[in-house]
Amino acid sequence: MNYFKHLFGPVPSRRMGLSLGISPIPEGYCNYSCIYCQLGRTDHMTNTRQSFFEVSDIINEFKQWLRLKKEVDVITIVGEGEPTLYKNLGQLLIELKKLTNIPIAVITNGALLSEKEVRDDLKYADIVLPSFDATNDEDFIKINRSYGKMDFSKVFEGLKQFSKEFKGQLWIEIMLVKGYNDSEEKLIALKDLLDQVEYDRIFINTPVRPPAESYAHEPSDETIEMATGILGGVAINHLISNGFSSDITDDYEAIVSIIKRHPMNQFEIKSFLEIRLCENINEIFNRLSQDEKIEVVEYKGYKTYRG
Ligand code: SF4
């Protein structure tokens, strides 16, 4: 069995096409515990950057993956938490760039952009996708539940500074949560702040997958439409993504490796297994339901599985 510890997928990204994921941090390390987080509540709250893994171990896996000669649209550094907490992120990006011309994206919550060391690391990426959900301390604490006494204005100044320095593509993602940041007044305030940031694209997301807190609801379609109008962004709240794949030959292990980092709903798992010509789909669903390491969440009338 071909099993990668840091690489997963490819998974379909609604913004970037088919994406090979690379996770440089252990499960559940983040400096936020967002109410909408699709990974559940953060287990390890920290704001300290650490060398969780050797760059060479991740690079060795990537070299093995390259030998498989698979095609993807993008390589995405995305954690089972927050990837900028990886102290060797800059070195990892440099080493990856030596091996491939595939664009490399980093998905981040943007909390550490006020630190020069983090901005310097991220300059080696082709695309950086920071999230930005609040316009003041009160909403920031309510939505993102940041580590310790993190200050919203510092996070915003970090984003602004990074946008001036970064030469690649800066794509901002806003997660709209009903009743938290989706009123006309809040959206106008967001727009006013983002006007000070030099970004290339804005994506408007909603909690389409089961959130950490059951009270983090999706706004209505009308509200999403109003938000795209005010912010000038693109809404990416589609329900089902096809195109998940994995180089792991065992069907069950392949699913587990994906849902540890990227939850899949029952339709996505079924379509993933059908494409792989799996003959015991029901058995796999039974195993998933009985596996203590896997959480099965009923959300919006169907099941979502996360590791
Ligand atoms: S959504 Fe991202 S930033 Fe927020 S808690 Fe989850 S991993 Fe951390």
Side-chain angles (χ1 to χ4, degrees), residues 25 28-42 45 79-83 107-111 131 133 143-145 175 212:
I25 60 162
Y29 279 71
C30 192
N31 37 16
Y32 287 178
S33 184
C34 304
I35 56 172
Y36 57 74
C37 184
Q38 60 176 10
L39 304 172
R41 284 184 200 146
T42 300
M45 286 293 276
E80 295 152 64
E82 171 50 36
I107 296 185
T108 171
N109 61 19
S131 43
D133 309 318
I143 301 171
N144 303 115
R145 301 191 297 194
M175 183 66 87

Side-chain angles (χ1 to χ4, degrees), residues 203-240:
F203 292 99
I204 293 161
N205 208 348
T206 58
V208 281
R209 295 181 192 275
E213 306 302 343
S214 55
Y215 54 78
H217 295 296
E218 275 188 277
S220 66
D221 288 348
E222 294 74 46
T223 304
I224 296 167
E225 206 173 305
M226 173 176 74
T228 52
I230 293 173
L231 297 163
V234 179
I236 53 167
N237 55 329
H238 301 141
L239 183 60
I240 295 166

Side-chain angles (χ1 to χ4, degrees), residues 19 37 39 49 55 58 86 109 122 140 166 174 185 189 207 231 235 237 283:
S19 152
C37 184
L39 304 172
R49 302 188 81 204
V55 169
I58 305 176
Y86 183 47
N109 61 19
L122 286 171
F140 177 56
F166 185 52
I174 297 162
E185 186 196 348
L231 297 163
N237 55 329
E283 204 180 293

Side-chain angles (χ1 to χ4, degrees), residues 161-279:
Q161 181 70 23
F162 180 67
S163 81
K164 292 195 173 73
E165 296 169 11
F166 185 52
K167 304 277 184 286
Q169 288 277 307
L170 186 66
W171 298 358
I172 310 250
E173 180 171 311
I174 297 162
M175 183 66 87
L176 286 188
V177 185
K178 189 174 180 180
Y180 282 83
N181 58 355
D182 65 338
S183 68
E184 189 174 4
E185 186 196 348
K186 301 227 166 168
L187 291 167
I188 290 170
L190 257 176
K191 168 84 176 123
D192 286 346
L193 288 182
L194 288 172
D195 279 348
Q196 302 170 47
V197 177
E198 295 173 25
Y199 60 85
D200 297 284
R201 295 187 194 177
I202 285 193
F203 292 99
I204 293 161
N205 208 348
T206 58
V208 281
R209 295 181 192 275
E213 306 302 343
S214 55
Y215 54 78
H217 295 296
E218 275 188 277
S220 66
D221 288 348
E222 294 74 46
T223 304
I224 296 167
E225 206 173 305
M226 173 176 74
T228 52
I230 293 173
L231 297 163
V234 179
I236 53 167
N237 55 329
H238 301 141
L239 183 60
I240 295 166
S241 315
N242 280 312
F244 284 94
S245 79
S246 171
D247 297 316
I248 298 171
T249 44
D250 182 278
D251 291 327
Y252 190 77
E253 294 299 334
I255 290 170
V256 171
S257 128
I258 296 173
I259 62 179
K260 265 173 78 180
R261 289 85 176 212
H262 190 301
M264 292 167 88
N265 66 40
Q266 63 188 81
F267 306 110
E268 290 163 337
I269 292 178
K270 187 162 178 282
S271 131
F272 172 80
L273 291 170
E274 282 168 354
I275 290 165
R276 290 165 64 104
L277 305 177
C278 171
E279 288 173 356

